[in-house]
């Protein structure tokens, strides 16, 4: 630490003024015997020519001891200081009462010309009895027991006020000290910087070793060049950039942990020296580079000179840090956008579910006997009503507020493809790169109707051939038949059905049905649980008869119609084997027949989506209409033919008579008839 000139100056000046000085304690009515005398040693006076420097919290430099003779008095009162005329002339402008064990300030009469007064190292608790010293420019009360700044309102010429190492808790009563140049309040109990904004001439402010937690309220200190805030509890700094002349700032040994808490320092154009040592921020690897990059005008950092090489390195590191921050900011924006989009998708999903629920409730009230299901190919398919119901005004408004681009999200994170919202299914039509598509092994569906997912499963199988793990959350899986649709995929090793938004999970046997229906996949895990051989046996026992009944109850033409081309060949093979004797078929064919039969039986357990069912329903209606019209035309045509036949039967006898008559008449003259025939033949040529 740099030694303080003020301290050493005040020590020298004060110690050199102990010249034949007498202190007398008396009351207005006491006789001479009640006086108490202080006899001080005489030394050669000396007054320095210069007074400014920082670090005022340091102990004052050692001084030569003063010889004091004290005569006690039985009557307590203020000491009265008296000096001889010779001493007043010789040391007219300075006086020191250092280490005199004073508990109060003495009364100083006839010394109005004093300019320097030193009360260091006493036990004074209150500033008083100096209001008459209006020419005083230097007042040193270091190392006393003062609890409040007071008694200084008349000292308008005071330039240096040293109150370090006292018990002051608040900065106050400095309103009239507008000429202050140095204010030392180190080593006190001050918790807040206040009541100093009017000190426009103040150049040095020392608040080290106090209880400050933050720095602000510094506006108005336009001449301040040095600010010492060492050894406090400061966590952030403000308003320092509003000090136009500040050159030295000492923040050592505080609680500053981030540069953002002192970012105002970057805007200071005058600051040349600063210290952060002893703070958490000084332990960071980026500390020095960040400070130098943001404070290019610094000459010293932590009392060490800043070199050009350090500035250059700081610039390079700062650029890298800036790139990292931009990337981090970009990732944060993407993350926030993802969160907002998912929230919008969830809101839209909730609104849709609310609408379907309300519509179903209204339908139940209108017709309690209606059933929205039908039997098709041995499977039960729910027929949802057309979504023509009207929404509440609040729900409609909420839907309109959602942007189309914000209602679905497609994300590829490592080997996982996540799809949020029904609009995300359109991504399967994109031209995915072979590398990206090949990396995807997990596909997650969230806030998408399962019936909509079923329609894109063939595309999923083609676009992402390595997908082995399917996840469903909030997809309205409500019945076991829906799992039948997954059989069209190429391969599934793992299946995860989130209970949220999938009521089918509440069924006790749903896992066994999945294992039975998708047994050809040899599934490894369901909802994170390993599939065992016992699970497969139990699934076969529970649902094996179901596949047999479904396949045996269907006509052959219906069975063939619901099988794929490969399955049709297998099925025809089974039919051909039925007529052969058992001995003709070897063991290998028996195994093949058994395996093919099981797969074919399971294939009859299919699932038809609501939309596909509605399309089929419309197609059936069109076919019925066409058949009806065709039959009507056939009946009409047959009726007309029958009517013509009946008319012919009535006319035929008369017509036959006339034909015979005409024939007889024509051939009555044979020669004439032959000539006529020849003539007709000739005319035709």
């Amino acid at each position: 630490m740099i030694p303080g000139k003020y301290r050493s100056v005040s020590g020298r000046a004060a110690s050199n003024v102990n010249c034949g000085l007498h202190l007398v304690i008396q009351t207005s009515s006491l006789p001479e015997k009640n006086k108490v005398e202080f006899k001080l040693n005489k030394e050669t006076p000396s007054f320095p020519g210069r007074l400014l420097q920082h670090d005022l919290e340091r102990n004052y430099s050692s001084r030569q001891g003063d010889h004091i003779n004290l005569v006690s008095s039985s009557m307590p009162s203020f000491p009265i200081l008296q000096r001889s005329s010779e001493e007043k002339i010789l040391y007219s402008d300075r006086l020191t009462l250092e280490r005199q064990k004073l508990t109060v300030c003495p009364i100083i009469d006839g010394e109005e010309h004093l300019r320097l007064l030193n009360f260091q190292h006493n036990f004074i608790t209150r500033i008083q009895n100096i209001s008459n010293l209006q020419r005083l420019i230097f007042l040193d009360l270091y190392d006393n027991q003062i609890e409040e700044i007071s008694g200084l309102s008349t000292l308008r010429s005071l330039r240096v006020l040293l109150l370090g190492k006292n018990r002051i808790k608040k900065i106050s009563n400095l309103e009239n000290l507008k000429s202050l140049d140095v204010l030392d309040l180190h080593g006190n109990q001050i918790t807040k910087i206040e009541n100093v904004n009017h000190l426009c001439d103040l150049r040095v402010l020392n608040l080290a070793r106090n209880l400050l937690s933050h720095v602000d309220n510094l506006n108005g200190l336009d001449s301040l060049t040095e600010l010492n805030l060492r050894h406090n509890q400061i966590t952030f700094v403000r308003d320092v950039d509003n000090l136009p002349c500040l050159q030295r700032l000492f923040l050592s040994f505080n609680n500053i942990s981030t540069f953002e808490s002192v970012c105002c320092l970057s805007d200071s154009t005058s600051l040349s020296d600063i210290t952060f040592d002893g703070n958490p921020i000084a332990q960071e690897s980026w500390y020095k580079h960040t400070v130098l990059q943001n404070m290019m005008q610094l000459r010293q950092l932590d009392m060490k000179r800043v070199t050009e090489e350090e500035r250059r390195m700081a610039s390079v590191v700062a650029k890298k840090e800036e790139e990292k921050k931009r990337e981090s900011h970009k990732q944060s924006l993407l993350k926030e956008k993802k969160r907002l989009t998912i929230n919008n998708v969830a809101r839209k999903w909730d609104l849709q579910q609310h609408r379907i629920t309300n519509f179903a409730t209204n339908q139940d009230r209108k017709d309690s006997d209606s059933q929205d299901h039908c039997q098709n190919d041995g499977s039960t398919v729910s027929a949802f009503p057309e979504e023509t119901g009207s929404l509440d005004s609040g729900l409609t408004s909420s839907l309109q507020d959602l942007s189309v681009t914000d209602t679905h999200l497609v994300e590829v994170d490592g080997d996982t493809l996540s799809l949020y919202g029904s609009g995300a299914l359109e991504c399967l039509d994109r031209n995915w790169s072979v590398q990206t598509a090949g990396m995807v092994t997990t596909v997650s569906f969230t806030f998408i109707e399962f019936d909509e997912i079923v329609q894109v499963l063939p595309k999923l199988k083609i676009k992402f051939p390595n997908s082995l793990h399917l996840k469903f959350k909030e997809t309205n899986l409500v019945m076991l038949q829906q799992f039948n649709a997954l059989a069209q995929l190429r391969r599934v090793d793992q299946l995860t059905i989130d209970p949220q938004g999938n009521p089918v999970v509440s069924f006790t046997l749903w896992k066994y049905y999945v294992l039975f229906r998708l047994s050809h996949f040899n599934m490894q895990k369901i909802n994170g649980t390993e599939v065992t051989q016992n699970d497969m046996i139990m699934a076969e026992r529970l649902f094996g008869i179901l596949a047999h009944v479904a396949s045996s109850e269907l006509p052959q033409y219906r069975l063939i119609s619901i099988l794929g081309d490969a399955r049709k060949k297998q099925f025809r093979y089974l039919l051909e084997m039925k007529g052969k004797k058992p001995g003709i078929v070897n063991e290998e064919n028996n195994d093949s027949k058994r395996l093919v039969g099981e797969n074919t039986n399971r294939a009859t357990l299919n699932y038809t989506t609501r939309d596909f069912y509605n399309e089929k329903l419309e197609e059936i209606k069109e076919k019925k209409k066409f058949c009806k019209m065709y039959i009507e035309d056939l009946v009409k045509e047959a009726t007309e033919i029958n009517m013509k036949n009946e008319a012919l039967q009535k006319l035929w006898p008369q017509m036959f008579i006339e034909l015979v008559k005409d024939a007889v008449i024509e051939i009555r003259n044979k020669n004439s008839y032959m000539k006529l025939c020849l003539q007709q033949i000739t005319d035709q040529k």
Side-chain angles (χ1 to χ4, degrees):
M1 299 174 64
I2 301 175
K5 292 183 179 179
Y6 268 126
R7 189 171 306 131
S8 59
V9 165
S10 62
R12 291 195 303 269
S15 61
N16 291 335
V17 184
N18 298 332
C19 325
L21 182 146
H22 291 75
L23 286 178
V24 181
I25 300 177
Q26 65 178 17
T27 62
S28 57
S29 60
L30 289 177
E32 282 295 316
K33 65 180 180 179
N34 291 328
K35 294 181 181 179
V36 180
E37 295 185 351
F38 291 80
K39 294 184 179 180
L40 305 178
N41 294 331
K42 179 185 295 186
E43 296 178 2
T44 305
S46 173
F47 191 79
R50 187 176 178 183
L51 295 176
L52 288 180
Q53 191 50 273
H54 76 287
D55 206 17
L56 298 175
E57 81 273 19
R58 198 176 194 184
N59 291 334
Y60 284 83
S61 57
S62 59
R63 299 168 176 79
Q64 297 179 359
D66 297 327
H67 179 70
I68 302 175
N69 293 325
L70 175 63
V71 180
S72 62
S73 170
S74 61
M75 298 295 295
S77 183
F78 292 112
I80 299 177
L81 185 142
Q82 294 180 349
R83 292 197 300 176
S84 63
S85 300
E86 179 183 353
E87 296 301 328
K88 288 182 180 180
I89 295 174
L90 188 60
Y91 308 109
S92 61
D93 60 351
R94 68 204 67 183
L95 174 65
T96 182
L97 296 174
E98 179 183 351
R99 302 181 189 275
Q100 301 300 315
K101 300 182 180 180
L102 296 173
T103 59
V104 295
C105 296
I107 297 174
I108 304 176
D109 287 334
E111 301 283 353
E112 290 77 7
H113 52 278
L114 280 180
R115 301 181 66 195
L116 186 152
L117 180 59
N118 180 6
F119 285 114
Q120 286 187 42
H121 305 293
N122 283 290
F123 304 100
I124 298 171
T125 59
R126 185 178 180 184
I127 305 173
Q128 52 191 347
N129 300 327
I130 60 173
S131 58
N132 58 320
L133 306 179
Q134 297 184 8
R135 294 185 181 180
L136 198 66
I137 64 172
F138 190 107
L139 177 59
D140 189 349
L141 287 161
Y142 172 77
D143 191 18
N144 280 277
Q145 298 178 10
I146 299 169
E147 296 183 356
E148 181 184 8
I149 303 175
S150 60
L152 302 175
S153 59
T154 61
L155 307 183
R156 298 179 181 274
S157 299
L158 195 64
R159 304 269 322 267
V160 179
L161 177 59
L162 308 182
L163 289 170
K165 202 175 180 183
N166 278 279
R167 301 176 182 178
I168 299 170
K169 297 181 180 180
K170 182 179 180 180
I171 304 175
S172 60
N173 300 318
L174 299 176
E175 289 78 10
N176 294 331
L177 306 184
K178 297 182 179 180
S179 299
L180 267 186
D181 190 70
V182 176
L183 176 60
D184 178 17
L185 293 169
H186 83 275
N188 284 281
Q189 302 170 23
I190 298 169
T191 59
K192 183 180 179 181
I193 301 176
E194 56 186 336
N195 302 318
V196 295
N197 306 94
H198 62 287
L199 303 177
C200 56
D201 292 333
L202 188 68
R203 293 198 299 128
V204 178
L205 176 59
N206 188 356
L207 291 170
R209 297 185 184 277
N210 278 279
L211 303 176
L212 298 173
S213 61
H214 57 277
V215 178
D216 56 6
N217 199 22
L218 296 173
N219 294 324
L221 302 179
D222 296 338
S223 300
L224 193 67
T225 60
E226 183 175 307
L227 178 59
N228 190 346
L229 299 169
R230 288 188 177 102
H231 294 282
N232 277 277
Q233 302 168 11
I234 297 169
T235 57
F236 68 88
V237 178
R238 295 175 183 166
D239 294 344
V240 173
D241 52 321
N242 295 326
L243 303 176
C245 297
L246 186 65
Q247 298 178 10
R248 294 174 295 279
L249 175 62
F250 305 101
L251 289 166
S252 305
F253 301 99
N254 281 283
N255 293 328
I256 299 170
S257 58
T258 64
F259 187 78
E260 286 72 18
S261 60
V262 293
C263 60
C264 64
L265 301 178
S266 302
D267 299 325
S268 175
T269 58
S270 58
L271 202 58
S272 60
D273 295 356
I274 194 168
T275 63
F276 285 111
D277 54 303
N279 284 275
I281 190 177
Q283 305 301 319
E284 300 291 343
S285 58
W286 46 261
Y287 157 65
K288 191 171 186 178
H289 302 302
T290 302
V291 172
L292 293 180
Q293 176 63 21
N294 288 275
M295 305 173 68
M296 298 297 294
Q297 76 281 6
L298 281 185
R299 296 180 180 177
Q300 287 194 135
L301 175 61
D302 296 335
M303 308 304 292
K304 296 180 181 179
R305 187 176 67 86
V306 178
T307 65
E308 290 301 321
E309 179 63 18
E310 288 175 330
R311 294 185 193 277
R312 189 187 67 80
M313 290 299 299
S315 179
V316 172
V317 173
K319 288 180 180 178
K320 293 182 179 179
E321 290 294 332
E322 187 64 26
E323 291 177 359
K324 289 182 180 178
K325 287 183 179 179
R326 282 199 297 267
E327 183 63 25
S328 175
H329 182 64
K330 180 181 178 181
Q331 294 299 324
S332 298
L333 289 178
L334 291 175
K335 186 176 180 180
E336 181 65 13
K337 183 178 180 181
K338 174 185 174 181
R339 186 186 67 82
L340 293 175
T341 302
I342 293 176
N343 286 344
N344 286 343
V345 174
R347 286 171 54 199
K348 185 178 180 181
W349 174 261
D350 291 339
L351 292 173
Q352 289 175 343
Q353 302 310 306
H354 180 77
R355 175 173 59 179
I356 293 174
T357 303
N358 286 347
F359 189 91
T361 303
N362 294 335
Q363 286 295 103
D364 289 342
R365 290 175 181 175
K366 290 179 181 179
D367 187 2
S368 60
D369 296 330
S370 62
Q371 295 182 353
D372 297 328
H373 65 85
C374 68
Q375 296 294 331
N376 184 30
D377 297 337
S379 299
T380 301
V381 183
S382 294
F384 291 83
E386 290 294 329
E387 298 180 353
T388 56
S390 60
L391 286 172
D392 297 338
S393 59
L395 296 178
T396 303
S397 176
S398 298
L399 276 175
Q400 290 175 350
D401 291 340
L402 293 174
S403 171
V404 176
T405 57
D406 292 335
T407 54
H408 69 271
L409 175 67
V410 179
E411 181 185 32
V412 177
D413 185 9
D415 62 351
T416 302
L417 172 65
S418 300
L419 307 177
Y420 299 86
S422 58
L425 297 177
E426 298 176 1
C427 77
L428 297 177
D429 294 326
R430 297 179 185 173
N431 293 324
W432 293 86
S433 67
V434 176
Q435 182 179 3
T436 302
M439 290 174 57
V440 174
T441 59
T442 302
V443 182
S444 173
F445 301 94
T446 309
F447 302 118
I448 308 174
E449 287 283 351
F450 184 80
D451 284 1
E452 297 183 24
I453 298 173
V454 171
Q455 298 175 15
V456 300
L457 288 179
K459 296 179 182 178
L460 180 67
K461 179 173 63 174
I462 297 173
K463 291 286 186 178
F464 302 97
N466 296 328
S467 58
L468 305 176
H469 185 188
L470 297 183
K471 295 182 178 180
F472 298 92
K473 181 179 180 181
E474 293 282 5
T475 56
N476 264 346
L477 269 165
V478 296
M479 55 188 176
L480 297 178
Q481 291 90 329
Q482 290 174 296
F483 290 115
N484 298 340
L486 301 180
Q488 60 184 300
L489 293 173
R490 179 178 285 108
R491 181 182 174 188
V492 177
D493 284 353
Q494 295 187 52
L495 186 64
T496 302
I497 310 296
D498 196 295
Q500 185 176 351
N502 295 305
V504 73
V505 179
S506 62
F507 298 168
T508 305
L509 303 178
W510 76 273
K511 291 184 180 179
Y512 293 113
Y513 183 80
V514 170
L515 292 176
F516 168 75
R517 182 61 187 88
L518 306 179
S519 61
H520 57 289
F521 288 149
N522 294 322
M523 204 168 294
Q524 303 298 315
K525 289 183 179 180
I526 297 181
N527 278 12
T529 304
E530 294 283 347
V531 176
T532 65
Q533 187 64 31
N534 291 335
D535 293 332
M536 299 298 296
I537 294 173
M538 180 61 70
E540 185 65 29
R541 288 178 179 176
L542 290 172
F543 297 102
I545 190 65
L546 177 64
H548 175 72
V549 171
S551 61
S552 61
E553 293 297 324
L554 287 177
Q556 179 180 339
Y557 76 93
R558 292 294 298 136
L559 189 58
I560 294 177
S561 67
I562 65 175
L563 298 176
D565 293 337
R567 298 286 179 85
K568 289 178 183 178
K569 294 179 181 178
Q570 296 171 358
F571 183 71
R572 289 194 178 98
Y573 169 79
L574 285 177
L575 295 179
E576 292 173 359
M577 291 293 106
K578 285 184 179 180
K580 296 183 178 181
K581 296 181 179 180
I584 300 177
V585 184
N586 58 28
E587 293 298 327
E588 182 178 354
N589 287 338
N590 281 333
D591 295 339
S592 176
K593 177 181 177 180
R594 179 179 54 81
L595 181 59
V596 171
E598 288 180 351
N599 290 339
T600 304
N601 289 341
R602 286 173 173 79
T604 60
L605 300 174
N606 64 349
Y607 174 67
T608 305
T609 65
R610 178 192 57 185
D611 294 337
F612 182 76
Y613 171 74
N614 290 336
E615 292 176 2
K616 285 292 184 181
L617 212 58
E618 291 296 327
E619 184 179 345
I620 291 172
K621 289 180 180 179
E622 291 294 331
K623 288 182 178 180
K624 285 182 178 180
K625 184 178 179 181
F626 173 77
C627 291
K628 183 179 180 181
M629 293 176 61
Y630 183 72
I631 295 299
E632 288 177 352
D633 291 341
L634 290 178
V635 171
K636 183 178 179 181
E637 185 177 352
T639 302
E640 291 177 353
I641 292 173
N642 186 56
M643 290 175 62
K644 290 179 180 180
N645 186 43
E646 289 179 355
L648 179 62
Q649 292 298 328
K650 292 178 180 180
L651 296 174
W652 176 248
Q654 184 62 32
M655 291 175 61
F656 182 74
I657 293 172
E658 291 180 359
L659 288 173
V660 172
K661 183 180 179 181
D662 291 341
V664 171
I665 293 173
E666 286 180 355
I667 66 173
R668 184 169 45 186
N669 189 343
K670 187 176 181 181
N671 294 329
S672 299
Y673 178 72
M674 292 177 63
K675 288 180 181 180
L676 179 62
C677 290
L678 290 172
Q679 185 63 39
Q680 289 178 352
I681 294 173
T682 303
D683 293 340
Q684 288 178 359
K685 292 181 179 181

